[in-house]
Amino acid sequence: MSSDLIHHYQSLLAKHGPTAQAVQWADTETQVGRFSILTEISADLGRVLDVGCGLGHLYSFLRAKGFEGTYQGVDIVPEFIEFASDAFAPNPAARADLITPDAPLPFCDYAILSGVFNNKMDDNWGFMTSTLRRMFEAADKGIAFNAMTSHVDFHDEGLYYVDPMKVFEFCKSELGGHPVLRHDYTLRPGGFPFEFAVYVYKAPQNCPI
């Protein structure tokens, strides 16, 4: 499946160039909306690992917000890594690396994943849970990711939809972390929440006073 997925994204890149559409988002607006939700996991991200980094757009988003930490992106698509590496060349605090689908992930404070679980494959649940285990092992403080929710009235045949509570239960019982489920947002004004985000912390969070 990974070779088919790589070819799929190579085709999108050839068609759209280094844009949000090349990484299968409708537009930059919705891509940035997802980044905004996922990075709310912490006000101090420190060392960020971008799992399925694509063209490194998350790093551009973070820099625009004043991010001063370090960033490492990993992806399975060679052309994505080439584009991202060229974009990061002037900045020693950012890098992008090609990785195999089952390789251990680099250590970080927070591992962030956006859109990687969306495409249907032979064993979506197995792929999701194994990836989340690798992310959680690599992260010192926590992970943030999104997925398509099963609580919708329309299913695209090419996309994977999953019950958010099943994912929450996995994060709590199997990862042993402290998960937060976000099913409260839309990506366009007046839109429908057709996806969800999860933060999983290594340690319980202090209640603000």
Side-chain angles (χ1 to χ4, degrees):
M1 179 62 187
S2 60
S3 61
D4 292 338
L5 197 61
I6 291 170
H7 179 70
H8 169 68
Y9 282 108
Q10 288 171 332
S11 298
L12 288 178
L13 179 61
K15 180 178 180 180
H16 297 288
T19 64
Q21 288 86 348
V23 288
Q24 202 171 281
W25 297 128
D27 49 44
T28 299
E29 179 185 6
T30 53
Q31 182 189 40
V32 166
R34 292 176 174 95
F35 291 159
S36 180
I37 292 292
L38 292 171
T39 55
E40 286 180 11
I41 187 172
S42 175
D44 182 12
L45 293 170
R47 299 172 299 156
V48 170
L49 175 65
D50 185 1
V51 181
C53 67
L55 299 157
H57 293 154
L58 174 60
Y59 180 66
S60 299
F61 169 84
L62 291 171
R63 283 293 300 274
K65 297 291 184 180
F67 175 67
E68 296 181 350
T70 61
Y71 167 99
Q72 183 171 3
V74 293
D75 206 293
I76 63 172
V77 182
E79 290 82 356
F80 283 173
I81 295 301
E82 291 174 11
F83 270 99
S85 295
D86 287 344
F88 300 158
N91 194 330
R95 59 180 290 180
D97 295 301
L98 191 66
I99 195 169
T100 58
D102 57 353
L105 295 173
F107 292 112
C108 59
D109 289 321
Y110 291 97
I112 297 175
L113 175 154
S114 183
V116 172
F117 299 139
N118 290 358
N119 292 293
K120 188 171 285 186
M121 58 183 65
D122 292 336
D123 182 14
N124 279 96
W125 180 248
F127 171 69
M128 173 182 276
T129 54
S130 65
T131 301
L132 293 178
R133 289 184 191 278
R134 289 159 58 217
M135 290 173 63
F136 202 66
E137 289 173 0
D140 283 343
K141 297 182 179 180
I143 66 175
F145 62 94
N146 54 25
M148 307 288 291
T149 178
S150 59
H151 296 283
V152 292
D153 57 7
F154 171 78
H155 285 217
D156 186 307
E157 292 184 357
L159 298 179
Y160 174 61
Y161 300 82
V162 63
D163 184 347
M165 294 309 298
K166 181 180 180 181
V167 177
F168 182 94
E169 173 64 23
F170 169 80
C171 293
K172 186 62 181 176
S173 63
E174 298 295 325
L175 294 185
H178 303 275
V180 176
L181 173 61
R182 295 269 325 250
H183 207 315
D184 62 328
Y185 64 94
T186 63
L187 296 167
R188 299 188 192 279
F192 185 83
F194 57 85
E195 65 176 57
F196 63 96
V198 177
Y199 313 142
V200 190
Y201 296 97
K202 286 289 182 83
Q205 301 302 288
N206 294 326
C207 182
I209 297 176

